[in-house]
Amino acid sequence: MSFGLRRAAAATAGALAVALTLGSATPAFAQTASIDPSTLIDPSALGQEDFEAIIDAVGSVPIGSAAGILGSVGSADVPLGEGSSETVGTPTPVDTSITETEFRGIERYRADEAGNDQAYEYWTIASKAMQREITVEVVPSRGTGDAPVLYMLDGVGAPIRSTGWAHQAYIADRMKDENVHVVNPAGAYASYYTDWEEFDQRLGTFLTEELPAIVDERLNTNGKAGVGGISMGAQAAMHLAATHPDVYDAVMSFSGFYSTMDALGYQTVRLSVETRGGDVENMWGPHRSARWAENDTISHPEGLRGKAVYFSAGNAEIGPDDVKQYGANYQDLIIGLVLEMGVYENSKAFEKALDRAGIEHKVDFADTGLHNWPNFLKNFESGWDYIKPALYGGDVEPGTGTPGASGSAGSLGTSGSLGSSGSTGS
């Protein structure tokens, strides 16, 4: 391997840090400017043979070794590097006159791919907890009668005016035949959908206490709710479901990382926050404090017992969807590969934790897939079909949003089983 290739391969630990900036943005907007150019060669100068050598080098390092590398620095942090911190949006301003949570109107509409001009509604909600106006993207059910609510959370780069669930997942088209209200809070920028210690960011309270009441008031709901997400939102969704079992009946999580206490989990969270201009200690205090431990879902999953629990991950093998997604952008491809390696290993560990606790769940490990929207979405239908029975309080026909004659309410879906790791995405 040439000197340049050795430098590129050696930079994979740094690529893990850079990978944490890849949230709901498309790969073309994956914040590649945050990479320190002194540590990498120009990917556009690589030939196919060179590229394959780098991939072999990356693939030869198990994620456990990556965790060991991070752990070997002790209490020190992986350096962010000059120019690695950037601002990716400004929250709505604090308004101290907000003393009550209230619905303030529909700001605008967005069409779906079928041309329904009002498929997406953009609600403005005044939050007492945050003393801000929050934009919430809502896709009301097109079915008849009462419907459950599915709250979907964005990745780390969550924009303020819409969510990746609209412009990446086309969620209105995806769920057009389902009797379910889809509710997506916008503008969560590396917030982890949590209450911060030293900042006026209280999305955890907004999601679990304020928003459900507004949704129930505005929509015909059946009293059931699920929560889901991708990447950062996947981690948050699983934690919210585990800590608020009175709010959520089901959870589906795509490519999440469920540990905050080990070295890799800590750096995942820290870099996600600090590459976007935040201070991670403002969120949960110093690492290994009580708040960090509370958010370590893998160590205390008991709140998930009796819920419909689904999660999935790619296996960091490059597939046709990944080639199409990244094209010749080898740099972003390597970033997506390294990050999904961590997700895959952590999902395996989470599966074992749930097995030890005797908590029923379903997990899909796809045959291929890096950390990107095509990989997140390839198991969406599998997740939805699994959690659906828990949201209707009875039997549900597979592939529909209406009660049917198959299955049983207590089974939480006929496809789910303890530790169903043999299943794959399709």
Side-chain angles (χ1 to χ4, degrees):
M1 187 183 294
S2 69
F3 174 71
L5 290 177
R6 284 197 299 272
R7 288 175 63 197
T12 55
L16 175 62
V18 176
L20 303 175
T21 68
L22 180 62
S24 65
T26 62
F29 299 95
Q31 289 77 45
T32 55
S34 63
I35 298 175
D36 182 352
S38 68
T39 66
L40 293 173
I41 60 175
D42 179 7
S44 65
L46 299 177
Q48 183 64 30
E49 196 172 299
D50 295 333
F51 173 61
E52 289 174 355
I54 292 177
I55 294 300
D56 287 343
V58 174
S60 69
V61 181
I63 199 64
S65 298
I69 291 170
L70 294 175
S72 69
V73 300
S75 61
D77 287 330
V78 174
L80 295 177
E82 183 179 354
S84 63
S85 181
E86 62 176 319
T87 300
V88 293
T90 303
T92 52
V94 171
D95 182 352
T96 56
S97 71
I98 296 176
T99 58
E100 298 295 334
T101 299
E102 63 178 358
F103 173 81
R104 290 193 167 177
I106 299 176
E107 176 192 352
R108 68 189 191 281
Y109 297 92
R110 177 189 177 115
D112 61 13
E113 294 298 294
N116 179 357
D117 290 340
Q118 297 188 356
Y120 297 89
E121 300 179 355
Y122 289 87
W123 294 6
T124 298
I125 297 176
S127 166
K128 177 182 177 181
M130 295 180 62
Q131 289 196 307
R132 285 192 172 103
E133 288 188 341
I134 308 297
T135 297
V136 178
E137 184 178 77
V138 179
V139 181
S141 171
R142 301 180 197 179
T144 58
D146 295 342
V149 182
L150 182 62
Y151 297 93
M152 298 303 294
L153 309 182
D154 229 337
V156 70
I160 194 167
R161 286 183 56 80
S162 65
T163 77
W165 291 105
H167 58 78
Q168 292 290 329
Y170 305 104
I171 195 72
D173 300 274
R174 192 175 292 270
M175 303 294 275
K176 63 181 175 26
D177 296 325
E178 305 288 349
N179 187 26
V180 62
H181 306 296
V182 182
V183 178
N184 316 319
Y189 319 113
S191 66
Y192 278 85
Y193 297 93
T194 189
D195 287 2
W196 285 47
E197 294 281 315
E198 301 292 339
F199 184 60
D200 46 13
Q201 182 75 275
R202 296 180 58 80
L203 275 170
T205 297
F206 176 72
L207 284 171
T208 60
E209 298 179 18
E210 297 181 331
L211 183 57
I214 297 290
V215 170
D216 287 343
E217 179 183 288
R218 299 286 306 172
L219 302 173
N220 294 325
T221 63
N222 69 354
K224 300 284 186 178
V227 61
I230 57 100
S231 193
M232 176 193 78
Q235 178 171 342
M238 193 66 72
H239 176 69
L240 289 170
T243 53
H244 295 277
D246 56 327
V247 177
Y248 306 109
D249 303 280
V251 56
M252 59 179 184
S253 173
F254 307 98
S255 292
F257 201 96
Y258 310 108
S259 172
T260 61
M261 295 300 284
D262 62 24
L264 192 57
Y266 164 62
Q267 295 294 357
T268 300
V269 175
R270 186 188 78 86
L271 289 160
S272 294
V273 172
E274 297 194 357
T275 54
R276 278 172 166 72
D279 182 341
V280 74
E281 291 198 1
N282 286 343
M283 185 167 72
W284 294 329
H287 188 227
R288 300 196 176 282
S289 66
R291 286 292 309 282
W292 282 86
E294 289 169 7
N295 283 274
D296 191 58
T297 310
I298 198 169
S299 66
H300 49 83
E302 294 81 11
L304 297 171
R305 192 178 308 280
K307 306 299 179 182
V309 178
Y310 176 87
F311 57 106
S312 70
N315 68 351
E317 294 286 338
I318 299 170
D321 289 342
D322 302 301
V323 173
K324 181 179 179 181
Q325 184 80 353
Y326 296 108
N329 191 339
Y330 300 152
Q331 182 167 280
D332 281 2
L333 187 148
I334 292 173
I335 289 170
L337 184 153
V338 173
L339 186 51
E340 199 66 13
M341 285 173 64
V343 163
Y344 176 77
E345 291 299 325
N346 187 258
S347 295
K348 284 282 191 179
F350 189 55
E351 178 189 22
K352 291 179 181 178
L354 293 179
D355 283 345
R356 287 193 299 270
I359 295 173
E360 187 173 355
H361 61 279
K362 181 183 179 184
V363 55
D364 283 333
F365 294 113
D367 291 331
T368 61
L370 309 189
H371 203 71
N372 54 48
W373 272 98
N375 180 53
F376 303 152
L377 294 174
K378 67 176 59 170
N379 285 312
F380 183 91
E381 282 72 22
S382 178
W384 171 239
D385 283 344
Y386 183 69
I387 71 168
K388 189 186 304 185
L391 300 181
Y392 291 93
D395 306 341
V396 176
E397 294 178 1
T400 75
T402 56
S406 60
S408 66
S411 68
L412 296 183
T414 57
S415 62
S417 63
L418 282 173
S420 54
S421 59
S423 58
T424 58
S426 57

